[in-house]
């Protein structure tokens, strides 16, 4: 946009490009028919290059193989591993067969792995032999000691009763299939079954469960459909002009991109905002207490509504209702503001917000200003308990090496320029990096330390 468009903090992305009802499988088939010899996937480090035609053939073969080992439409299959060609293959193959892919963080240890597999009832799990220091089979054995004695495809685990098939990329330890076995498992009848099944897959069917940890509690499984993912990718590519080096903003629950820059945006918009609202998506900034739309350039919680919003968290109605309003707005938990052109600036997280005497204070706004002080190397602002006001501001500061600084210097620097001058802000000066320090413990535990200065 080249002219101011907004009068309040609500924006709706319009676009001449309509929605598509295609599934992920239909999109791949269309590409394979149009440009079969064009490169689709390249993994330079592994020496893998596949054209759309090759990818489609291998996807169909693996999809039929998954049916051959007993998986059915609607079953959940976990993919636990790093970026690799097999990951792409599994994503498209599960989509072809109507199986729901569960994306498992490759860094998960046994407790996190147990939680997510049990939460969604995974029937199969695929992983490589190892990645860095992760020995995946050994980690799984801690949850399922029965695995070593199991018949492949017939695991009976007390801890994970839904898990039947374990598929290992690059080896075949006891109780598992090798990835190659499954890839070669299909007969002609399984390929016919796959063709029949694809006619029954709808764009509204779930395709992925992506776990997102947020800031507290156990991971939540965001359930996304073909419609979510295909259209989000389509509109994102359209905005980019298929140039994959643009800045964007989004989250797992929103498929994921909701705001995105244009290729011709000026440098300040590219560096200071997350871009303009995505096509066919609504967004608004609301006051966290009243839920009313904020004026332009005013901080509040960012809410998003549209086709991109997930179905919900898998098997977690309570968390879903907390995040998605009855009107369909998704609460991002991010503090943001909108300018008159509709560009969005992310300022922090709601969990970081300080409520002092009923007023909302956003640490990022104070941190951004204090970062301009010539002696400040690192700064992080938090809320600390206060009997009178509920919370007070604490600024934890690491000054630049070779310099000295006092609270009075910071106070003088803030005069007339920063919100923190109006409050009883305390300062804690530390020699340690704030990236590795538990700040609430630091501030509260050293309230009488010589490094602590109030104002």
């Amino acid at each position: 946009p080249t002219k101011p468009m907004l009068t309040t903090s609500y924006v709706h992305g319009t676009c001449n490009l309509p929605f598509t009802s295609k599934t992920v499988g239909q999109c791949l088939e269309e590409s394979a028919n149009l440009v079969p010899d064009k490169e689709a996937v390249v993994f330079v480090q592994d020496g893998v290059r596949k054209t759309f035609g090759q990818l489609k053939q291998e996807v169909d073969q693996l999809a039929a193989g998954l049916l051959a080992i007993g998986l059915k439409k609607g079953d959940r299959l976990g993919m636990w591993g790093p970026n690799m060609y097999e990951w792409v293959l599994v994503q498209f193959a599960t989509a072809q067969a109507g199986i729901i892919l569960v994306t498992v963080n490759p860094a998960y240890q046994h407790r996190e792995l147990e939680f997510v597999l049990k939460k969604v009832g995974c029937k199969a799990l695929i992983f490589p032999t190892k990645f860095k220091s992760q020995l995946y089979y050994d980690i799984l054995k801690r949850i399922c000691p029965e695995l070593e004695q199991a018949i492949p495809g017939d695991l009976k685990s007390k801890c994970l009763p839904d898990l039947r098939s374990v598929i290992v990329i690059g080896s075949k330890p006891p109780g598992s299939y090798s990835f190659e076995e499954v890839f070669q498992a299909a007969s002609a009848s399984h390929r016919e079954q796959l063709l029949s099944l694809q006619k029954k897959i709808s764009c509204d069917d779930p395709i992925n469960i992506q776990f997102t940890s947020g800031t507290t509690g156990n991971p939540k499984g965001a359930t996304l459909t073909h419609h979510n993912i295909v259209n989000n990718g389509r509109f994102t590519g359209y905005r980019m002009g298929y140039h994959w080096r643009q800045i964007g903003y989004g989250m797992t629950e929103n498929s994921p991109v909701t705001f995105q820059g244009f290729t011709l945006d000026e440098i300040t918009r590219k560096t200071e905002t997350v871009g303009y609202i995505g096509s066919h998506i609504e967004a608004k900034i609301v006051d966290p207490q009243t839920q009313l739309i904020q004026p332009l350039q005013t901080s509040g919680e960012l809410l998003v509504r549209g086709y991109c919003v997930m179905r919900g968290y898998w098997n977690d109605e309570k968390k879903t209702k907390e995040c998605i309003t009855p009107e369909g707005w998704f609460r991002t938990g991010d503090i943001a503001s909108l300018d008159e052109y509709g560009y969005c600036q992310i300022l922090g997280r709601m969990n970081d917000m300080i409520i002092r005497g009923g007023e909302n204070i956003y640490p990022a706004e104070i941190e951004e200003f204090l970062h301009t002080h010539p002696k400040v190397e690192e700064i992080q602002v938090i809320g600390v308990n206060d009997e009178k006001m509920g919370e007070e501001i604490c600024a934890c500061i690491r000054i630049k090496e070779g310099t000295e600084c006092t609270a009075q210097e910071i106070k003088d620097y803030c005069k007339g320029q920063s919100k923190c001058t109006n409050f009883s802000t305390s300062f804690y000066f530390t020699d340690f990096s704030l990236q590795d320090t538990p700040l609430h413990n630091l501030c509260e535990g050293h309230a009488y330390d010589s490094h602590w200065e109030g104002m």
Side-chain angles (χ1 to χ4, degrees), residues 63-74:
L66 294 174
L67 296 179
I69 65 167
L71 293 174
K72 297 179 176 62
K73 183 177 185 289

Side-chain angles (χ1 to χ4, degrees), residues 314-351:
W314 186 275
N315 197 25
D316 201 334
E317 187 177 352
K318 181 182 177 184
K319 290 292 185 185
T320 299
K321 286 184 176 179
E322 287 175 4
C323 290
I324 302 177
T325 72
E327 298 78 27
W329 288 98
F330 178 79
R331 300 183 181 280
T332 66
D334 284 328
I335 299 165
S337 66
L338 284 172
D339 66 17
E340 63 271 29
Y341 294 92
Y343 282 75
C344 179
Q345 185 175 24
I346 302 296
L347 303 170
R349 290 288 293 167
M350 288 291 294
N351 289 344

Side-chain angles (χ1 to χ4, degrees), residues 211 287 394:
F211 274 89
D287 182 284
C394 170

